[in-house]
Amino acid sequence: MSILVTGGCGFIGSHTVVELLSIGEDIVILDNLSNSKECVLDRIETITGKRPKFYKADLLDIDECEKVFKENDIESVIHFAGFKAVGESVAKPMMYYHNNITGTLNLCALMSKYGAKTIVFSSSATVYGMPKSVPISEDFPLSTTNPYGETKLMIERILSDICVSDKEYGVSVLRYFNPIGAHESGLIGEDPKGIPNNLLPYVSRVAAGIYEHLSVFGDDYDTPDGTGVRDYIHVVDLAKAHLCALDYARKNKGIDYFNVGTGNGYSVLEIVKAYEEASGKPVKYKISPRRPGDIAECYANPEKAYKLLGWKAEKGIEDMCRDLARWQEGNPEGYPDN
Ligand code: NAD
Ligand code: UD1
């Protein structure tokens, strides 16, 4: 019996595969490498001593994906595969709807056909839109501000409808806050293509001298120092949440939703300081205008995950920055080309 990990070569997927292999699960990765590289598999093998089975396949090609279900006894699925850049989704909405929605529909069709009716899905705190208050609980109203967020919300609804129609399904939806950091080995980490959109990959490149300075998007928010506040979570803590969520979905039919965050908010300037301390390198920054679509504060109430999944974040901001700095220093150009 194997767990299928779609998008398992990506940032969060690769860390989750390491955790799954380390508890002895059999893993099959399906990834089209549109935002990742095959050499991740070598790194996973170095860390765990095991090499996951890999299919280079696109979820949009249902025939190609059916081969994976035919050739393996897939018992459950952890579904990471999808596009994730907010700005790009605004520029190319059809590409985002097609990849994320059609890809998920194809996956679910195969899951139903082959009787693998347990799934953990990667959603995002973006489904809370502009939250009315913080911390954010799972029962807050849902809305989105961009096509990427819309795909996450639509997939949540698709999975919910599937559960109504087929009582054999068990679905855990994880709403991630801001995943950062890297594996403590320094062998796997985040490797964004081109100029990073997210804060930490940018900060680490400024400290490494790749970019001259960080633009801090706004210092006039209603927050303690005026800069945006987020709930950063170590990617290894996040990976471990998937093991608990999978266990839960195996035992509980129907769908449930969980925030995956620490419950602590840090401002952009606090992050800059934490990274400087962890890396021992300065991070130059300039205050710039607000980024359109950004909210002042976003952090989780993570209690439901603790109560029902038995999961809580263990690593602090120092661990996140230290592990990211180690990954950045060891891999200044990211992963080598295939
Ligand atoms: P990532 O881009 O590193 O990983 C996604 C993987 O999916 C990549 O390896 C990519 O090649 C693969 N992929 C994309 N489309 C595919 C397709 N059609 N068929 C097969 N493979 C495909 O992203 P990540 O940061 O690891 O995020 C994983 C998931 O978590 C995504 O669904 C993302 O939207 C979600 N998420 C991420 C964050 C974040 O900050 N990283 C926050 C909230 C939610
Ligand atoms: C962004 C996405 C969100 C996605 C999340 C995780 C937007 C509007 N939202 O959220 O949908 O789920 O990433 O992938 O893109 N910042 C700077 N300078 C920078 C980069 C960021 O000051 O160069 C600030 C931002 O204004 C924000 C904080 O840093 O206050 C975090 O930004 P980022 O890492 O992009 O994450 P989110 O905005 O939370």
Side-chain angles (χ1 to χ4, degrees), residues 253-274:
K253 302 298 171 203
I255 188 164
D256 216 338
Y257 309 84
F258 303 96
N259 285 342
V260 190
T262 64
N264 304 313
Y266 287 92
S267 74
V268 177
L269 295 183
E270 284 174 325
I271 291 293
V272 166
K273 190 158 172 278

Side-chain angles (χ1 to χ4, degrees), residues 29-287:
I29 294 178
L30 183 163
D31 198 306
N32 65 1
L33 302 178
S34 57
N35 197 37
S36 52
K37 292 182 182 160
E38 203 168 339
C39 69
V40 170
L41 301 170
D42 301 332
R43 306 285 182 99
I44 292 173
E45 190 175 4
T46 306
I47 296 169
T48 63
K50 295 174 197 163
R51 194 173 184 84
K53 197 164 173 184
F54 173 61
Y55 288 82
K56 182 171 186 288
D58 193 324
L59 280 178
L60 296 178
D61 184 338
I62 196 164
D63 296 332
E64 203 173 62
C65 294
E66 182 152 16
K67 213 170 139 231
V68 180
F69 281 82
K70 270 193 188 141
E71 291 179 2
N72 299 280
D73 185 6
I74 303 293
E75 166 259 334
S76 56
V77 177
I78 305 185
H79 179 32
F80 295 102
F83 293 152
K84 62 166 183 177
V86 172
E88 187 181 50
S89 81
V90 175
K92 299 176 181 169
M94 286 193 291
M95 186 174 104
Y96 269 67
Y97 285 115
H98 187 45
N99 192 59
N100 294 4
I101 305 290
T102 311
T104 302
L105 289 174
N106 284 344
L107 175 66
C108 291
L110 291 170
M111 288 173 62
S112 293
K113 183 166 174 185
Y114 288 85
K117 298 183 179 177
T118 302
I119 180 170
V120 178
F121 170 60
S122 305
S123 189
S124 165
T126 194
V127 299
Y128 296 115
M130 304 270 177
K132 60 178 190 315
S133 61
V134 279
I136 300 168
S137 300
E138 287 83 354
D139 57 2
F140 271 33
L142 304 177
S143 69
T144 59
T145 54
N146 56 71
Y148 164 70
E150 200 61 45
T151 68
K152 291 292 170 196
L153 199 48
M154 280 184 184
I155 294 168
E156 287 197 3
R157 288 181 177 146
I158 289 167
L159 292 170
S160 165
D161 289 342
I162 290 175
C163 287
V164 172
S165 73
D166 185 340
K167 303 291 179 214
E168 289 176 3
Y169 265 85
V171 181
S172 291
V173 171
L174 298 184
R175 294 178 178 152
Y176 312 157
F177 281 67
N178 291 60
I180 62 166
H183 192 263
E184 70 170 1
S185 63
L187 288 172
I188 55 172
E190 189 170 11
D191 183 17
K193 278 191 182 148
I195 300 172
N197 299 306
N198 295 119
L199 180 64
L200 267 297
Y202 206 99
V203 164
S204 64
R205 283 166 177 73
V206 173
I210 297 168
Y211 300 124
E212 205 248 321
H213 71 271
L214 168 75
S215 296
V216 174
F217 298 145
D219 68 346
D220 56 352
Y221 285 104
D222 186 14
T223 60
D225 65 18
T227 66
V229 168
R230 297 290 184 274
D231 186 340
Y232 298 95
I233 172 162
H234 196 296
V235 63
V236 172
D237 273 336
L238 174 58
K240 288 178 177 164
H242 291 78
L243 278 58
C244 302
L246 181 61
D247 198 41
Y248 187 85
R250 280 171 174 155
K251 292 176 182 150
N252 295 277
K253 302 298 171 203
I255 188 164
D256 216 338
Y257 309 84
F258 303 96
N259 285 342
V260 190
T262 64
N264 304 313
Y266 287 92
S267 74
V268 177
L269 295 183
E270 284 174 325
I271 291 293
V272 166
K273 190 158 172 278
Y275 195 85
E276 287 183 330
E277 277 166 13
S279 65
K281 293 181 177 148
V283 176
K284 278 209 271 176
Y285 67 86
K286 289 184 183 161
I287 305 298

